[in-house]
C-alpha cells in the first residue's frame, strides 16, 4: 500500500493519493460553487486520511472544529458570537498554515529537487492541514455572490499585470532570482500542489476571510477601499518576512495586486489566479525557488 511511485513529478504512495484525491476534487467543485459536494468530499478525505494515518484523532477534531466554526461564522448574526468564531477561525487557520496544530503527517512529495542549477534545492510537502483551511473557508465563509468583473476587468488586468511584473523584476534586482527559462519535469506536479493547495488556501484566508473583515471595518471611511487593499497587501507581505526584506516587499506588491483584484470583482478566483500566474512565471522563467 505504501510503496512509493512517481506521478506528475510527485513521489506518492497509494495511501497518500487515495487520501488527498477527494480533497483536491473538493476544491475543483468549489470552483463551480458546488459547496455541498465539496464538503462531502472533504469528509471522505478526512476519513481516508485518518484510516491511512496521515492525520490522527486530534487533527480530525481540529478539522471538524474549523468547519463548525466556519459554519457558525456564516450563520450566526450576534456580533459577539460572530467575533469569537472569527477569532477561532483565524487562530486555527494560522496554526494549520504553519503546521503547528498537532496530529498531521503531511507527506513529502518533492524532496531536494534541483529545479534550477544555481538554486537551493526545492522540497514540497502535500499539506493536508492547509488544504482543509482552503475547503472550509471557500465552502462556508468566503462570499461568492454576483461579481462586477465586467466593468472592472480592464483595471484589474492592468494593475495585476503591473504587480506581477514589478514583483518579478524586484526579485531580479534584489538578487533573489535570475532569468532562467525552463520546462521542468516536475511542472505538472508543481502546478497541482501550488494552485490547489498554496494559492487556494492563502487567497481564501488573506483575501476571502481577512480582507472581507477589513472591508467591513473600513466601509464607513472615505478611503475605505484603498485602506483595505493596502492593509491586505501589507499583511500578506509581513507574513513572508522570515524570507528577508526583499521577499517581504515582493510579497507585498503581489498582495496588493491580489487584494485589488478581489476588492474590484468580489470573486475569490481572481486573486487565486493572479497569485498562481505570478508563481507560475517565477517557476518557468526564473531561478526557482531562489538563488543559492
Amino acid at each position: 500500500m505504501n510503496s512509493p511511485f512517481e506521478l506528475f513529478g510527485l513521489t506518492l504512495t497509494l495511501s497518500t493519493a487515495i487520501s488527498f484525491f477527494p480533497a483536491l476534487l473538493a476544491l475543483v467543485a468549489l470552483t463551480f460553487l458546488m459547496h455541498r459536494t465539496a464538503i462531502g468530499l472533504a469528509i471522505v478525505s478526512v476519513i481516508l486520511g485518518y484510516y491511512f494515518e496521515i492525520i490522527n484523532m486530534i487533527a480530525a477534531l481540529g478539522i471538524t472544529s474549523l468547519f463548525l466554526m466556519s459554519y457558525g461564522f456564516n450563520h450566526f448574526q450576534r456580533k459577539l458570537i460572530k467575533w469569537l468564531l472569527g477569532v477561532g477561525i483565524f487562530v486555527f487557520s494560522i496554526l494549520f498554515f504553519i503546521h503547528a496544530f498537532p496530529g498531521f503527517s503531511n507527506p513529502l512529495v518533492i524532496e531536494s529537487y534541483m529545479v534550477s542549477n544555481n538554486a537551493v534545492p526545492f522540497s514540497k510537502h502535500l499539506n493536508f492541514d492547509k488544504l482543509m483551511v482552503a475547503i472550509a473557508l471557500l465552502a462556508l465563509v468566503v462570499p461568492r455572490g454576483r461579481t462586477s468583473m465586467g466593468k472592472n476587468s480592464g483595471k484589474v488586468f492592468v494593475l495585476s499585470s503591473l504587480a506581477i511584473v514589478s514583483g518579478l523584476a524586484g526579485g531580479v534586482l534584489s538578487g533573489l532570482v535570475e532569468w532562467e527559462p525552463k520546462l521542468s519535469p516536475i511542472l505538472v506536479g508543481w502546478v497541482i500542489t501550488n494552485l490547489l493547495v498554496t494559492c487556494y488556501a492563502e487567497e481564501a484566508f488573506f483575501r476571502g476571510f481577512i480582507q472581507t473583515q477589513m472591508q467591513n471595518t473600513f466601509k464607513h471611511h472615505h478611503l475605505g477601499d484603498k485602506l483595505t487593499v493596502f492593509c491586505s497587501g501589507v499583511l500578506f507581505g509581513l507574513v513572508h518576512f522570515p524570507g528577508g526584506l526583499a521577499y517581504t516587499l515582493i510579497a507585498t506588491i503581489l498582495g496588493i495586486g491580489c487584494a485589488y483584484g478581489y476588492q474590484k470583482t468580489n470573486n475569490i478566483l481572481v486573486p487565486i489566479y493572479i497569485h498562481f500566474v505570478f508563481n507560475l512565471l517565477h517557476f518557468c522563467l526564473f531561478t526557482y525557488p531562489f538563488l543559492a
Side-chain angles (χ1 to χ4, degrees), residues 107-130:
L108 183 64
V109 293
I110 299 175
E111 183 175 10
S112 299
Y113 187 85
M114 297 300 297
V115 181
S116 301
N117 292 328
N118 54 348
V120 299
F122 174 66
S123 296
K124 178 71 175 178
H125 286 82
L126 201 51
N127 295 317
F128 201 87
D129 39 14
K130 203 169 185 178

PDB file of all heavy atoms in Angstrom, residues 107-130:
ATOM      1  N   PRO A 107       2.738  14.385   3.939  1.00  0.00           N
ATOM      2  CA  PRO A 107       3.758  13.611   3.212  1.00  0.00           C
ATOM      3  C   PRO A 107       4.656  14.498   2.351  1.00  0.00           C
ATOM      4  O   PRO A 107       4.207  15.470   1.744  1.00  0.00           O
ATOM      5  CB  PRO A 107       2.920  12.667   2.340  1.00  0.00           C
ATOM      6  CG  PRO A 107       1.604  13.331   2.204  1.00  0.00           C
ATOM      7  CD  PRO A 107       1.366  14.088   3.472  1.00  0.00           C
ATOM      8  N   LEU A 108       5.930  14.161   2.316  1.00  0.00           N
ATOM      9  CA  LEU A 108       6.910  14.845   1.469  1.00  0.00           C
ATOM     10  C   LEU A 108       6.812  14.258   0.059  1.00  0.00           C
ATOM     11  O   LEU A 108       7.079  13.080  -0.156  1.00  0.00           O
ATOM     12  CB  LEU A 108       8.315  14.652   2.039  1.00  0.00           C
ATOM     13  CG  LEU A 108       9.465  15.352   1.321  1.00  0.00           C
ATOM     14  CD1 LEU A 108       9.320  16.860   1.399  1.00  0.00           C
ATOM     15  CD2 LEU A 108      10.794  14.915   1.923  1.00  0.00           C
ATOM     16  N   VAL A 109       6.442  15.087  -0.923  1.00  0.00           N
ATOM     17  CA  VAL A 109       6.207  14.577  -2.280  1.00  0.00           C
ATOM     18  C   VAL A 109       7.260  15.037  -3.280  1.00  0.00           C
ATOM     19  O   VAL A 109       7.376  14.480  -4.374  1.00  0.00           O
ATOM     20  CB  VAL A 109       4.801  14.974  -2.773  1.00  0.00           C
ATOM     21  CG1 VAL A 109       3.726  14.246  -1.958  1.00  0.00           C
ATOM     22  CG2 VAL A 109       4.570  16.485  -2.700  1.00  0.00           C
ATOM     23  N   ILE A 110       8.016  16.090  -2.943  1.00  0.00           N
ATOM     24  CA  ILE A 110       9.170  16.508  -3.742  1.00  0.00           C
ATOM     25  C   ILE A 110      10.305  16.753  -2.762  1.00  0.00           C
ATOM     26  O   ILE A 110      10.183  17.572  -1.859  1.00  0.00           O
ATOM     27  CB  ILE A 110       8.888  17.788  -4.552  1.00  0.00           C
ATOM     28  CG1 ILE A 110       7.731  17.580  -5.526  1.00  0.00           C
ATOM     29  CG2 ILE A 110      10.147  18.213  -5.322  1.00  0.00           C
ATOM     30  CD1 ILE A 110       7.315  18.844  -6.266  1.00  0.00           C
ATOM     31  N   GLU A 111      11.410  16.048  -2.916  1.00  0.00           N
ATOM     32  CA  GLU A 111      12.492  16.130  -1.930  1.00  0.00           C
ATOM     33  C   GLU A 111      13.790  16.583  -2.576  1.00  0.00           C
ATOM     34  O   GLU A 111      14.319  15.921  -3.475  1.00  0.00           O
ATOM     35  CB  GLU A 111      12.706  14.785  -1.234  1.00  0.00           C
ATOM     36  CG  GLU A 111      13.771  14.823  -0.153  1.00  0.00           C
ATOM     37  CD  GLU A 111      13.890  13.521   0.617  1.00  0.00           C
ATOM     38  OE1 GLU A 111      13.268  12.518   0.183  1.00  0.00           O
ATOM     39  OE2 GLU A 111      14.602  13.493   1.635  1.00  0.00           O
ATOM     40  N   SER A 112      14.284  17.746  -2.134  1.00  0.00           N
ATOM     41  CA  SER A 112      15.601  18.270  -2.527  1.00  0.00           C
ATOM     42  C   SER A 112      15.816  18.184  -4.036  1.00  0.00           C
ATOM     43  O   SER A 112      16.854  17.705  -4.512  1.00  0.00           O
ATOM     44  CB  SER A 112      16.706  17.517  -1.787  1.00  0.00           C
ATOM     45  OG  SER A 112      16.569  17.676  -0.393  1.00  0.00           O
ATOM     46  N   TYR A 113      14.839  18.671  -4.792  1.00  0.00           N
ATOM     47  CA  TYR A 113      14.915  18.628  -6.253  1.00  0.00           C
ATOM     48  C   TYR A 113      15.555  19.915  -6.774  1.00  0.00           C
ATOM     49  O   TYR A 113      15.195  21.013  -6.350  1.00  0.00           O
ATOM     50  CB  TYR A 113      13.512  18.460  -6.844  1.00  0.00           C
ATOM     51  CG  TYR A 113      13.500  18.239  -8.327  1.00  0.00           C
ATOM     52  CD1 TYR A 113      13.657  16.962  -8.855  1.00  0.00           C
ATOM     53  CD2 TYR A 113      13.352  19.303  -9.207  1.00  0.00           C
ATOM     54  CE1 TYR A 113      13.654  16.759 -10.222  1.00  0.00           C
ATOM     55  CE2 TYR A 113      13.350  19.110 -10.574  1.00  0.00           C
ATOM     56  CZ  TYR A 113      13.507  17.828 -11.080  1.00  0.00           C
ATOM     57  OH  TYR A 113      13.516  17.640 -12.443  1.00  0.00           O
ATOM     58  N   MET A 114      16.496  19.783  -7.688  1.00  0.00           N
ATOM     59  CA  MET A 114      17.160  20.946  -8.265  1.00  0.00           C
ATOM     60  C   MET A 114      16.362  21.435  -9.470  1.00  0.00           C
ATOM     61  O   MET A 114      16.568  20.987 -10.604  1.00  0.00           O
ATOM     62  CB  MET A 114      18.594  20.603  -8.657  1.00  0.00           C
ATOM     63  CG  MET A 114      19.485  20.211  -7.487  1.00  0.00           C
ATOM     64  SD  MET A 114      19.649  21.504  -6.240  1.00  0.00           S
ATOM     65  CE  MET A 114      20.462  22.794  -7.189  1.00  0.00           C
ATOM     66  N   VAL A 115      15.440  22.350  -9.234  1.00  0.00           N
ATOM     67  CA  VAL A 115      14.658  22.934 -10.327  1.00  0.00           C
ATOM     68  C   VAL A 115      15.558  23.782 -11.205  1.00  0.00           C
ATOM     69  O   VAL A 115      15.454  23.767 -12.428  1.00  0.00           O
ATOM     70  CB  VAL A 115      13.495  23.775  -9.768  1.00  0.00           C
ATOM     71  CG1 VAL A 115      12.663  24.359 -10.917  1.00  0.00           C
ATOM     72  CG2 VAL A 115      12.608  22.939  -8.848  1.00  0.00           C
ATOM     73  N   SER A 116      16.442  24.536 -10.571  1.00  0.00           N
ATOM     74  CA  SER A 116      17.432  25.367 -11.264  1.00  0.00           C
ATOM     75  C   SER A 116      18.829  24.964 -10.787  1.00  0.00           C
ATOM     76  O   SER A 116      19.023  24.666  -9.604  1.00  0.00           O
ATOM     77  CB  SER A 116      17.194  26.845 -10.973  1.00  0.00           C
ATOM     78  OG  SER A 116      15.892  27.249 -11.373  1.00  0.00           O
ATOM     79  N   ASN A 117      19.774  24.973 -11.696  1.00  0.00           N
ATOM     80  CA  ASN A 117      21.130  24.527 -11.351  1.00  0.00           C
ATOM     81  C   ASN A 117      21.787  25.402 -10.294  1.00  0.00           C
ATOM     82  O   ASN A 117      22.598  24.931  -9.501  1.00  0.00           O
ATOM     83  CB  ASN A 117      22.001  24.501 -12.606  1.00  0.00           C
ATOM     84  CG  ASN A 117      21.564  23.424 -13.577  1.00  0.00           C
ATOM     85  OD1 ASN A 117      21.074  22.373 -13.167  1.00  0.00           O
ATOM     86  ND2 ASN A 117      21.731  23.681 -14.863  1.00  0.00           N
ATOM     87  N   ASN A 118      21.459  26.684 -10.292  1.00  0.00           N
ATOM     88  CA  ASN A 118      22.115  27.630  -9.382  1.00  0.00           C
ATOM     89  C   ASN A 118      21.223  28.001  -8.201  1.00  0.00           C
ATOM     90  O   ASN A 118      21.421  29.031  -7.563  1.00  0.00           O
ATOM     91  CB  ASN A 118      22.520  28.899 -10.131  1.00  0.00           C
ATOM     92  CG  ASN A 118      21.355  29.537 -10.872  1.00  0.00           C
ATOM     93  OD1 ASN A 118      20.293  28.925 -11.017  1.00  0.00           O
ATOM     94  ND2 ASN A 118      21.545  30.763 -11.338  1.00  0.00           N
ATOM     95  N   ALA A 119      20.227  27.171  -7.915  1.00  0.00           N
ATOM     96  CA  ALA A 119      19.264  27.475  -6.858  1.00  0.00           C
ATOM     97  C   ALA A 119      19.437  26.544  -5.666  1.00  0.00           C
ATOM     98  O   ALA A 119      20.125  25.525  -5.741  1.00  0.00           O
ATOM     99  CB  ALA A 119      17.840  27.341  -7.398  1.00  0.00           C
ATOM    100  N   VAL A 120      18.792  26.910  -4.571  1.00  0.00           N
ATOM    101  CA  VAL A 120      18.726  25.997  -3.437  1.00  0.00           C
ATOM    102  C   VAL A 120      17.807  24.836  -3.806  1.00  0.00           C
ATOM    103  O   VAL A 120      16.899  24.985  -4.624  1.00  0.00           O
ATOM    104  CB  VAL A 120      18.207  26.719  -2.172  1.00  0.00           C
ATOM    105  CG1 VAL A 120      19.137  27.854  -1.780  1.00  0.00           C
ATOM    106  CG2 VAL A 120      16.783  27.240  -2.389  1.00  0.00           C
ATOM    107  N   PRO A 121      18.016  23.641  -3.266  1.00  0.00           N
ATOM    108  CA  PRO A 121      17.139  22.502  -3.568  1.00  0.00           C
ATOM    109  C   PRO A 121      15.700  22.798  -3.132  1.00  0.00           C
ATOM    110  O   PRO A 121      15.462  23.475  -2.127  1.00  0.00           O
ATOM    111  CB  PRO A 121      17.748  21.365  -2.743  1.00  0.00           C
ATOM    112  CG  PRO A 121      19.154  21.788  -2.476  1.00  0.00           C
ATOM    113  CD  PRO A 121      19.129  23.272  -2.374  1.00  0.00           C
ATOM    114  N   PHE A 122      14.755  22.281  -3.895  1.00  0.00           N
ATOM    115  CA  PHE A 122      13.338  22.525  -3.650  1.00  0.00           C
ATOM    116  C   PHE A 122      12.679  21.269  -3.099  1.00  0.00           C
ATOM    117  O   PHE A 122      12.818  20.177  -3.658  1.00  0.00           O
ATOM    118  CB  PHE A 122      12.636  22.941  -4.945  1.00  0.00           C
ATOM    119  CG  PHE A 122      11.138  23.067  -4.827  1.00  0.00           C
ATOM    120  CD1 PHE A 122      10.570  24.047  -4.037  1.00  0.00           C
ATOM    121  CD2 PHE A 122      10.303  22.194  -5.521  1.00  0.00           C
ATOM    122  CE1 PHE A 122       9.192  24.170  -3.936  1.00  0.00           C
ATOM    123  CE2 PHE A 122       8.933  22.306  -5.426  1.00  0.00           C
ATOM    124  CZ  PHE A 122       8.375  23.291  -4.631  1.00  0.00           C
ATOM    125  N   SER A 123      11.965  21.424  -1.986  1.00  0.00           N
ATOM    126  CA  SER A 123      11.193  20.323  -1.403  1.00  0.00           C
ATOM    127  C   SER A 123       9.760  20.777  -1.198  1.00  0.00           C
ATOM    128  O   SER A 123       9.481  21.970  -1.016  1.00  0.00           O
ATOM    129  CB  SER A 123      11.789  19.880  -0.058  1.00  0.00           C
ATOM    130  OG  SER A 123      13.083  19.357  -0.231  1.00  0.00           O
ATOM    131  N   LYS A 124       8.827  19.840  -1.245  1.00  0.00           N
ATOM    132  CA  LYS A 124       7.412  20.186  -1.129  1.00  0.00           C
ATOM    133  C   LYS A 124       6.661  19.099  -0.381  1.00  0.00           C
ATOM    134  O   LYS A 124       6.756  17.916  -0.717  1.00  0.00           O
ATOM    135  CB  LYS A 124       6.798  20.354  -2.529  1.00  0.00           C
ATOM    136  CG  LYS A 124       5.313  20.674  -2.525  1.00  0.00           C
ATOM    137  CD  LYS A 124       5.046  22.084  -2.039  1.00  0.00           C
ATOM    138  CE  LYS A 124       3.581  22.443  -2.156  1.00  0.00           C
ATOM    139  NZ  LYS A 124       3.282  23.807  -1.650  1.00  0.00           N
ATOM    140  N   HIS A 125       5.927  19.507   0.656  1.00  0.00           N
ATOM    141  CA  HIS A 125       5.007  18.610   1.339  1.00  0.00           C
ATOM    142  C   HIS A 125       3.607  18.805   0.771  1.00  0.00           C
ATOM    143  O   HIS A 125       3.240  19.911   0.352  1.00  0.00           O
ATOM    144  CB  HIS A 125       4.980  18.881   2.844  1.00  0.00           C
ATOM    145  CG  HIS A 125       6.201  18.402   3.568  1.00  0.00           C
ATOM    146  ND1 HIS A 125       7.371  19.144   3.608  1.00  0.00           N
ATOM    147  CD2 HIS A 125       6.433  17.268   4.279  1.00  0.00           C
ATOM    148  CE1 HIS A 125       8.275  18.477   4.311  1.00  0.00           C
ATOM    149  NE2 HIS A 125       7.739  17.344   4.730  1.00  0.00           N
ATOM    150  N   LEU A 126       2.822  17.756   0.762  1.00  0.00           N
ATOM    151  CA  LEU A 126       1.407  17.851   0.416  1.00  0.00           C
ATOM    152  C   LEU A 126       0.666  18.100   1.726  1.00  0.00           C
ATOM    153  O   LEU A 126       0.483  17.191   2.533  1.00  0.00           O
ATOM    154  CB  LEU A 126       0.943  16.556  -0.259  1.00  0.00           C
ATOM    155  CG  LEU A 126      -0.326  16.612  -1.114  1.00  0.00           C
ATOM    156  CD1 LEU A 126      -0.269  17.757  -2.126  1.00  0.00           C
ATOM    157  CD2 LEU A 126      -0.515  15.294  -1.847  1.00  0.00           C
ATOM    158  N   ASN A 127       0.299  19.345   1.951  1.00  0.00           N
ATOM    159  CA  ASN A 127      -0.159  19.790   3.266  1.00  0.00           C
ATOM    160  C   ASN A 127      -1.664  19.584   3.449  1.00  0.00           C
ATOM    161  O   ASN A 127      -2.478  20.375   2.972  1.00  0.00           O
ATOM    162  CB  ASN A 127       0.205  21.260   3.478  1.00  0.00           C
ATOM    163  CG  ASN A 127       1.698  21.472   3.525  1.00  0.00           C
ATOM    164  OD1 ASN A 127       2.424  20.704   4.152  1.00  0.00           O
ATOM    165  ND2 ASN A 127       2.180  22.505   2.853  1.00  0.00           N
ATOM    166  N   PHE A 128      -1.997  18.544   4.191  1.00  0.00           N
ATOM    167  CA  PHE A 128      -3.399  18.230   4.464  1.00  0.00           C
ATOM    168  C   PHE A 128      -4.041  19.334   5.296  1.00  0.00           C
ATOM    169  O   PHE A 128      -5.205  19.687   5.084  1.00  0.00           O
ATOM    170  CB  PHE A 128      -3.499  16.893   5.210  1.00  0.00           C
ATOM    171  CG  PHE A 128      -4.834  16.227   5.114  1.00  0.00           C
ATOM    172  CD1 PHE A 128      -5.140  15.395   4.058  1.00  0.00           C
ATOM    173  CD2 PHE A 128      -5.802  16.429   6.090  1.00  0.00           C
ATOM    174  CE1 PHE A 128      -6.378  14.769   3.967  1.00  0.00           C
ATOM    175  CE2 PHE A 128      -7.035  15.809   6.015  1.00  0.00           C
ATOM    176  CZ  PHE A 128      -7.329  14.975   4.949  1.00  0.00           C
ATOM    177  N   ASP A 129      -3.295  19.905   6.249  1.00  0.00           N
ATOM    178  CA  ASP A 129      -3.837  20.953   7.111  1.00  0.00           C
ATOM    179  C   ASP A 129      -4.202  22.198   6.304  1.00  0.00           C
ATOM    180  O   ASP A 129      -5.307  22.747   6.438  1.00  0.00           O
ATOM    181  CB  ASP A 129      -2.846  21.293   8.240  1.00  0.00           C
ATOM    182  CG  ASP A 129      -1.392  21.289   7.802  1.00  0.00           C
ATOM    183  OD1 ASP A 129      -1.124  21.295   6.585  1.00  0.00           O
ATOM    184  OD2 ASP A 129      -0.523  21.296   8.691  1.00  0.00           O
ATOM    185  N   LYS A 130      -3.300  22.642   5.444  1.00  0.00           N
ATOM    186  CA  LYS A 130      -3.548  23.827   4.633  1.00  0.00           C
ATOM    187  C   LYS A 130      -4.701  23.608   3.659  1.00  0.00           C
ATOM    188  O   LYS A 130      -5.514  24.508   3.417  1.00  0.00           O
ATOM    189  CB  LYS A 130      -2.272  24.179   3.868  1.00  0.00           C
ATOM    190  CG  LYS A 130      -2.167  25.616   3.419  1.00  0.00           C
ATOM    191  CD  LYS A 130      -0.771  25.910   2.924  1.00  0.00           C
ATOM    192  CE  LYS A 130      -0.607  27.385   2.579  1.00  0.00           C
ATOM    193  NZ  LYS A 130       0.766  27.696   2.136  1.00  0.00           N
TER     194      LYS A 130
END
